[in-house]
Amino acid sequence: MLLYFITCFSFFLFLKSLLLKPLPSWATEMRLLSLLFCQELSVSKLFWNLPWLGFHCQIPSRMSLMKKSLSSRVENDDQEDSQDLSVLDLPDLALECILERLPPSALCQMAGVCRSLRESCVSDHLWERHMKQKWGKVIGPAAYREWKWHVASTRNVGGLKHGKQRGLMRFLSLRWPFPWMKLKGDPNVRSKQGSFSPVDSVMSWYLALETGNFWFPGQVYNRENGHVGFMLSCYDAEVSYDSRTDTFQARYPPHGRRTDARECGIPWERIRAPPVDTSPHDLHISGCLHDLHPGDHIEIQWRRNKEFPYGWWYGVVGHLESCNGDENYCRCHSNDTVVLEFNHYTPGSRWRQTTVSRKDHREEGNEADGFYGGIRKIKSESEISIWKRLWPSEVLD
């Protein structure tokens, strides 16, 4: 315990020494950093949240990095040493802990302070956490492939038009989702920021998503604002984020003679990453047919006719007509025929029930009732809860 206290107290003295010394000649470069700490995080909040600080050191939230009344006492003795002092003199671990707690907008600002901070703030390991936290549920393998293709095409076009100019400044020059985030300071510093981060970095991908400049493959529950013909379904679309409303917009592929449909204002809870890497025009190979039991939750591909892409429709596995549903005597799971029920339709509706074969399942159906395709078993409780939240308020005919 004594060693722990000594360590913490020594770190406190180190921080105090930073606050007592006057700012050197590089103060103009650090002006943005000071603004970031005071306005966005506040000094007290930043250091209060450091888990390794270990004690309650109260630092006033409006404390300036320059203490004129105190610095005059040490100006003569420490003037020469202060010329080499900066926040970058913090131990690597301390600086890394601070950067890990900054939001994406603050990391972008920090990247404009100086070259050393820029190299740290654009590193992939800092941005991978932000990418996973915000976009992990809506970004899948298909979106990643689309991004890599986008990066390759951007490099080709950029190489012809802009030589070696890299991608992040292109995003920094756009309309920011964070209105206050504008690079300030020495114009000579700004002129060297064209190589902030490679266009294929995680930071660039995050900013492309945040600004809505990258349309990615995703799926939309209850498409077209919950149109009755799409209740409890999930369709593929090209999706883009709108930071002003914190919602998405979607472009659906053409259906038969229809042109592509568009929808705006889609909330986060209606967007997901495709659960299987299957094109909406291809039959999904079902690997779960022999593992289906009555009561299991499933999604099945369905399309109106051969010209339409598939959508995924929610249902449950039911009992055969010859079974009374008693689990002690039920043998439905050993039968070659699987009953699928869509209980949001009224009993007797042609959409209420269908059957598929376990052994030789292919696309089944006709022009009147549509075509049923591949099946995936839903094992995640979170996925099941999403479908239940989308359940229509009235039973459909």
Side-chain angles (χ1 to χ4, degrees):
M1 178 64 71
L2 179 61
L3 179 61
Y4 179 79
F5 178 80
I6 294 175
T7 302
C8 295
F9 185 72
S10 300
F11 182 74
F12 175 74
L13 293 178
F14 176 76
L15 294 178
K16 186 176 180 181
S17 68
L18 290 180
L19 297 173
L20 290 177
K21 297 197 176 195
L23 287 176
S25 59
W26 42 260
T28 55
E29 187 178 279
M30 298 304 296
R31 189 179 304 152
L32 181 58
L33 180 60
S34 176
L35 179 64
L36 173 66
F37 276 77
C38 293
Q39 292 184 353
E40 285 301 307
L41 302 176
S42 83
V43 176
S44 62
K45 180 177 180 181
L46 177 64
F47 286 95
W48 185 272
N49 289 331
L50 295 182
W52 38 264
L53 196 55
F55 59 93
H56 295 172
C57 56
Q58 296 182 358
I59 303 176
S61 60
R62 296 183 178 274
M63 181 180 292
S64 170
L65 291 178
M66 182 184 294
K67 293 292 186 177
K68 294 183 179 179
S69 61
L70 296 177
S71 63
S72 60
R73 303 177 187 177
V74 296
E75 182 176 0
N76 294 332
D77 296 335
D78 299 329
Q79 183 174 4
E80 184 174 336
D81 292 340
S82 67
Q83 298 299 319
D84 298 326
L85 181 65
S86 75
V87 174
L88 296 176
D89 291 329
L90 283 170
D92 292 342
L93 179 60
L95 183 59
E96 184 73 14
C97 288
I98 293 173
L99 296 180
E100 286 179 351
R101 284 159 176 76
L102 294 181
S105 55
L107 280 176
C108 289
Q109 262 196 319
M110 290 278 277
V113 173
C114 64
R115 184 182 300 275
S116 296
L117 283 175
R118 181 185 316 152
E119 293 175 355
S120 299
C121 291
V122 303
S123 60
D124 283 352
H125 81 277
L126 288 178
W127 286 91
E128 283 171 354
R129 180 173 61 88
H130 294 300
M131 176 67 74
K132 182 178 180 179
Q133 286 179 348
K134 183 162 186 176
W135 305 104
K137 293 183 179 180
V138 299
I139 292 294
Y144 181 72
R145 287 196 301 270
E146 187 71 16
W147 169 250
K148 301 303 285 186
W149 179 88
H150 173 78
V151 167
S153 62
T154 301
R155 279 175 168 169
N156 292 336
V157 174
L160 293 175
K161 294 183 178 180
H162 305 292
K164 296 183 179 180
Q165 182 179 4
R166 300 222 175 183
L168 185 57
M169 276 306 295
R170 177 172 174 268
F171 295 116
L172 292 174
S173 64
L174 299 173
R175 176 185 55 78
W176 278 97
F178 319 105
W180 51 266
M181 188 193 304
K182 294 181 180 179
L183 296 177
K184 299 179 181 180
D186 192 338
N188 293 327
V189 174
R190 293 201 307 269
S191 66
K192 299 178 181 179
Q193 291 172 347
S195 58
F196 261 11
S197 177
V199 71
D200 61 347
S201 68
V202 179
M203 180 182 184
S204 294
W205 190 14
Y206 184 101
L207 296 180
L209 292 167
E210 186 73 35
T211 55
N213 288 282
F214 175 60
W215 289 77
F216 60 92
Q219 290 183 347
V220 184
Y221 292 99
N222 290 3
R223 58 171 284 180
E224 298 183 28
N225 296 311
H227 186 285
V228 66
F230 298 103
M231 295 300 291
L232 291 193
S233 69
C234 199
Y235 272 78
D236 286 82
E238 285 187 317
V239 181
S240 174
Y241 179 64
D242 185 353
S243 61
R244 295 171 299 179
T245 60
D246 192 29
T247 59
F248 294 86
Q249 51 185 329
R251 299 188 299 218
Y252 301 103
H255 276 201
R257 298 179 181 178
R258 294 182 56 184
T259 58
D260 60 327
R262 292 184 177 236
E263 182 180 357
C264 299
I266 306 172
W268 281 84
E269 55 267 23
R270 285 181 52 210
I271 302 290
R272 76 175 184 183
V276 296
D277 200 11
T278 303
S279 167
H281 296 278
D282 296 334
L283 179 71
H284 173 66
I285 304 303
S286 307
C288 62
L289 292 174
H290 293 282
D291 189 37
L292 295 179
H293 293 70
D296 287 343
H297 301 260
I298 60 96
E299 293 178 10
I300 186 170
Q301 289 177 309
W302 182 87
R303 58 181 175 180
R304 177 54 117 176
N305 58 49
K306 298 287 187 175
E307 297 179 358
F308 281 39
Y310 285 113
W312 289 95
W313 295 74
Y314 171 74
V316 295
V317 178
H319 292 273
L320 295 169
E321 188 175 350
S322 58
C323 180
N324 61 8
D326 189 334
E327 61 180 11
N328 295 319
Y329 300 98
C330 176
R331 295 293 180 268
C332 295
H333 61 277
S334 60
N335 195 287
D336 181 49
T337 300
V338 182
V339 176
L340 304 178
E341 296 179 343
F342 309 94
N343 295 324
H344 51 292
Y345 290 100
T346 58
S349 170
R350 62 175 177 165
W351 310 114
R352 172 82 177 196
Q353 189 179 93
T354 191
T355 60
V356 297
S357 172
R358 293 183 196 268
K359 294 182 179 180
D360 190 28
H361 176 57
R362 296 290 186 270
E363 184 181 64
E364 301 176 11
N366 52 61
E367 293 293 336
D369 298 330
F371 296 87
Y372 294 90
I375 300 172
R376 63 176 293 260
K377 181 179 179 179
I378 307 176
K379 301 179 181 179
S380 168
E381 290 296 330
S382 61
E383 280 192 89
I384 296 173
S385 66
I386 292 175
W387 285 114
K388 290 182 176 179
R389 286 199 303 268
L390 296 170
W391 199 269
S393 57
E394 298 180 357
V395 179
L396 306 178
D397 294 329

